[in-house]
Amino acid sequence: MIILFDLDGTLIDSTEAILECFHKAFDFYNYPHPSDAEIKALIGHPLDVMFARLGVQEDRVWDFVTVYKENYREISTLKTKLLPHAKEAVELAATFAELGIVTTKTGKYSEILMEHFGLMQHFKVLIGREHVEHPKPHAEPILKALEAFSEFSKKDVWMIGDTELDLISADAAGVNSIGVLSGYGTKEKLVQFSDVIFGDAYEAVIWLKGRDLSQS
């Protein structure tokens, strides 16, 4: 079995860092600030998409992204925490499956975060925004992650994520998906894209372990 995890809202809570970096970017360019709620509603999308949807002109989006990343590099480990039971989820999953991370966050900083939390060694691959041309909800990030694994059947691949972007990406890639309610997506939204919904990643992994045992 292969289990692919999203990060924000699935394994980690970096809301404080994300909000601070967005506001610093808007401050830097003396630009009208969106509300925290407006920013949080877009978490899961790539940064360039978020800034564009928050009103930044297309030709200036990457300037804002650059300022965001400069600040994020400084505060990410200080203002990001593991979600409850996320560590247990990863450690349990590693006992019966091969693991990967598929995120729209910058892969470089995501790896630093996972090293900081002492979990990176459990993952065979980490695909971030810079590794693909088309981020989630496109299939490319998941298909790219699967290149790191040897022979497998797609019916044994599961993507765990907290937004519809994760679930749509899984469907496009032809793999299974599990929605979790620990992050930014609502149950009403997630059930439109997956038949399997749990409270958090740990509950999802326990369920997958049960499936693995029943099929072995």
Side-chain angles (χ1 to χ4, degrees), residues 64-82:
F64 281 72
V65 170
T66 297
V67 174
Y68 175 102
K69 288 185 174 182
E70 288 172 354
N71 285 286
Y72 190 80
R73 182 175 62 247
E74 300 295 325
I75 68 169
S76 62
T77 56
L78 298 174
K79 298 193 174 183
T80 299
K81 56 189 177 183
L82 286 174

Side-chain angles (χ1 to χ4, degrees), residues 141-154:
I142 289 177
L143 296 177
K144 182 79 172 178
L146 292 178
E147 292 175 5
F149 299 92
S150 54
E151 289 186 20
F152 60 88
S153 169
K154 283 189 175 181

Side-chain angles (χ1 to χ4, degrees), residues 64-201:
F64 281 72
V65 170
T66 297
V67 174
Y68 175 102
K69 288 185 174 182
E70 288 172 354
N71 285 286
Y72 190 80
R73 182 175 62 247
E74 300 295 325
I75 68 169
S76 62
T77 56
L78 298 174
K79 298 193 174 183
T80 299
K81 56 189 177 183
L82 286 174
L83 286 166
H85 311 301
K87 185 173 187 288
E88 292 89 341
V90 172
E91 291 176 344
L92 177 60
T95 66
F96 66 92
E98 293 185 287
L99 310 184
I101 291 172
V102 179
T103 178
T104 53
K105 295 174 79 69
T106 301
K108 175 183 176 182
Y109 302 139
S110 298
E111 187 167 339
I112 290 170
L113 280 172
M114 289 296 99
E115 293 283 5
H116 172 71
F117 292 125
L119 293 175
M120 191 61 216
Q121 73 272 15
H122 295 298
F123 296 98
K124 189 168 185 176
V125 63
L126 188 157
I127 298 298
R129 178 63 184 93
E130 72 271 38
H131 300 129
V132 297
E133 181 178 354
H134 305 290
K136 293 181 290 186
H138 198 278
E140 183 184 351
I142 289 177
L143 296 177
K144 182 79 172 178
L146 292 178
E147 292 175 5
F149 299 92
S150 54
E151 289 186 20
F152 60 88
S153 169
K154 283 189 175 181
K155 69 181 180 62
D156 295 322
V157 179
W158 294 82
M159 176 74 209
I160 301 177
D162 69 302
T163 74
E164 67 269 25
L165 301 178
D166 304 302
L167 311 184
I168 295 169
S169 180
D171 183 63
V175 305
N176 305 293
S177 66
I178 299 178
V180 291
L181 303 175
S182 51
Y184 304 101
T186 64
K187 185 174 183 179
E188 291 72 23
K189 176 67 75 171
L190 297 183
V191 295
Q192 297 177 42
F193 303 102
S194 179
D195 296 328
V196 188
I197 309 292
F198 288 103
D200 60 26

